[in-house]
Amino acid sequence: MLHTMIRVLVFVVSVFAAVMLSAGPAGAVTPRQCEDDGARVDAILDPDGEYRAFCTCRGGTGFYNGMEVFGAHVMRVGPAVVPVQCVGRGLGA
């Protein structure tokens, strides 16, 4: 009986950890996933890196809201269209 309860507890904890890592603040999405969710990619150009931006998913249905965005993206800077590489929020280690 105790052995079965321990197995169930380990299973529940591992499922909870998997959900938190995939959908929590540590999660990350691509620009396409963000925009397909009805959200927009909030990008801030990196002053030190050419064609690099710190990106976050904003709005939409809420599933991807607030997640870091990684991958190729096209953004507007004034009248110009600029291709950038999203690198998440750019928080230092």
Side-chain angles (χ1 to χ4, degrees):
M1 176 74 173
L2 181 62
H3 186 66
T4 304
M5 288 177 54
I6 291 172
R7 281 186 174 187
V8 169
L9 182 62
V10 168
F11 176 74
V12 169
V13 168
S14 60
V15 168
F16 180 73
V19 168
M20 291 306 290
L21 288 175
S22 66
V29 296
T30 65
R32 182 177 192 117
Q33 288 173 314
C34 179
E35 291 169 348
D36 285 349
D37 191 44
R40 66 179 170 77
V41 176
D42 185 20
I44 300 171
L45 287 174
D46 179 10
D48 297 327
E50 190 172 326
Y51 300 109
R52 196 170 81 164
F54 304 125
C55 304
T56 308
C57 190
R58 297 282 181 220
T61 61
F63 186 74
Y64 294 132
N65 189 26
M67 287 189 176
E68 295 184 16
V69 179
F70 291 90
H73 180 60
V74 177
M75 64 181 283
R76 283 196 171 274
V77 179
V81 177
V82 179
V84 295
Q85 183 68 27
C86 287
V87 293
R89 293 187 186 106
L91 302 175

